[in-house]
Amino acid sequence: SNLSLALKKDEKVFSSKLGDPKKIAEEVNYWIEEVAKEASIELKDLNRIYVTVGPGSYTGERIGLTIAKTFYVLNNSIEIYVASTLKVMSYGLKECYVLLDAKNKAYFFSHYKEGEKLTEEVRIEHEELINSIKKDIPIAILTTQASLKEGFEGYEIKEVDLLNNLISSESYFELSTSPLSIKASYLRGKNERN
């Protein structure tokens, strides 16, 4: 679980990744200030925020959304753009299955073609997934989750750097008309209680 921050000013990107999930909530404000300082801007001058809504680490998604909503409350002229994490992961690939580790041999999964979702985003168990995908369509996984390659021998695996995709995929995001109502996407498995 990690949180990626990027700030774009005059087409130049300033970024940081926070990796320790136990410290993200404690350190995120510091890292936001550091990235802004590096870009020589004041936080009050932000005009757009792009944030993924999941699926993924539910805590991570809530932290990202809380940051975006807080900036909006402090300055309601800020535009908040949202996208699915899986959609952002598919950026740059003509067609692919997208997998995120959902723990316990399960995945957050969808099938995308040129940014269009072909199947609903679901949480799926490994065996069910293997029985429902074709070997001729690549599987996109995060570079930080390379261990997911195990169990997918014979499939073409494309490792995706989420931060690079976040920076490059602005067209995949949609402007929220109600930023304070944005919710994280939390997908449960068939055998989990709500």
Side-chain angles (χ1 to χ4, degrees):
S1 173
N2 63 37
L3 182 69
S4 298
L5 301 170
L7 190 146
K8 192 172 186 181
K9 177 184 176 187
D10 302 326
E11 299 306 311
K12 185 169 182 191
V13 175
F14 305 86
S15 64
S16 180
K17 288 185 183 179
L18 292 83
D20 186 348
K22 294 176 183 162
K23 295 184 179 181
I24 288 175
E26 298 167 11
E27 296 179 353
V28 71
N29 291 334
Y30 168 78
W31 287 110
I32 291 171
E33 289 176 12
E34 286 299 305
V35 170
K37 189 187 308 180
E38 183 183 344
S40 301
I41 72 154
E42 294 191 32
L43 295 177
K44 66 178 178 63
D45 296 328
L46 291 177
N47 57 9
R48 279 178 279 175
I49 294 176
Y50 293 79
V51 62
T52 58
V53 294
S57 160
Y58 194 58
T59 301
E61 298 301 343
R62 288 183 305 178
I63 289 171
L65 288 172
T66 299
I67 292 166
K69 290 177 182 182
T70 300
F71 275 101
Y72 180 79
V73 166
L74 296 173
N75 176 0
N76 66 3
S77 67
I78 289 178
E79 295 177 334
I80 308 294
Y81 291 81
V82 296
S84 155
T85 305
L86 299 179
K87 182 175 184 175
V88 170
M89 286 177 62
S90 78
Y91 180 80
L93 298 171
K94 183 176 172 82
E95 181 176 6
C96 64
Y97 299 119
V98 185
L99 295 183
L100 266 176
D101 189 2
K103 308 291 184 229
N104 302 317
K105 296 184 181 179
Y107 312 93
F108 299 119
F109 165 81
S110 191
H111 182 184
Y112 278 88
K113 185 172 186 176
E114 297 177 347
E116 295 299 319
K117 184 171 52 174
L118 300 180
T119 62
E120 286 303 310
E121 295 182 346
V122 295
R123 182 183 182 282
I124 190 168
E125 304 297 319
H126 181 82
E127 190 171 315
E128 184 180 353
L129 176 65
I130 289 293
N131 292 328
S132 63
I133 62 175
K134 301 176 191 171
K135 287 193 173 188
D136 63 337
I137 298 174
I139 299 172
I141 64 170
L142 292 177
T143 54
T144 57
Q145 296 183 350
S147 63
L148 291 186
K149 291 178 183 179
E150 296 172 22
F152 292 98
E153 292 77 13
Y155 291 86
E156 180 183 3
I157 304 292
K158 300 282 189 179
E159 290 189 33
V160 174
D161 182 314
L162 187 58
L163 181 58
N164 286 338
N165 279 24
L166 286 168
I167 293 165
S168 304
S169 66
E170 286 180 40
S171 64
Y172 279 28
F173 287 78
E174 295 180 17
L175 176 64
S176 173
T177 57
S178 183
L180 297 178
S181 299
I182 302 168
K183 296 198 181 330
S185 172
Y186 185 60
L187 302 177
R188 292 185 176 268
K190 294 177 185 173
N191 299 323
E192 292 184 68
R193 295 183 187 155
N194 287 326

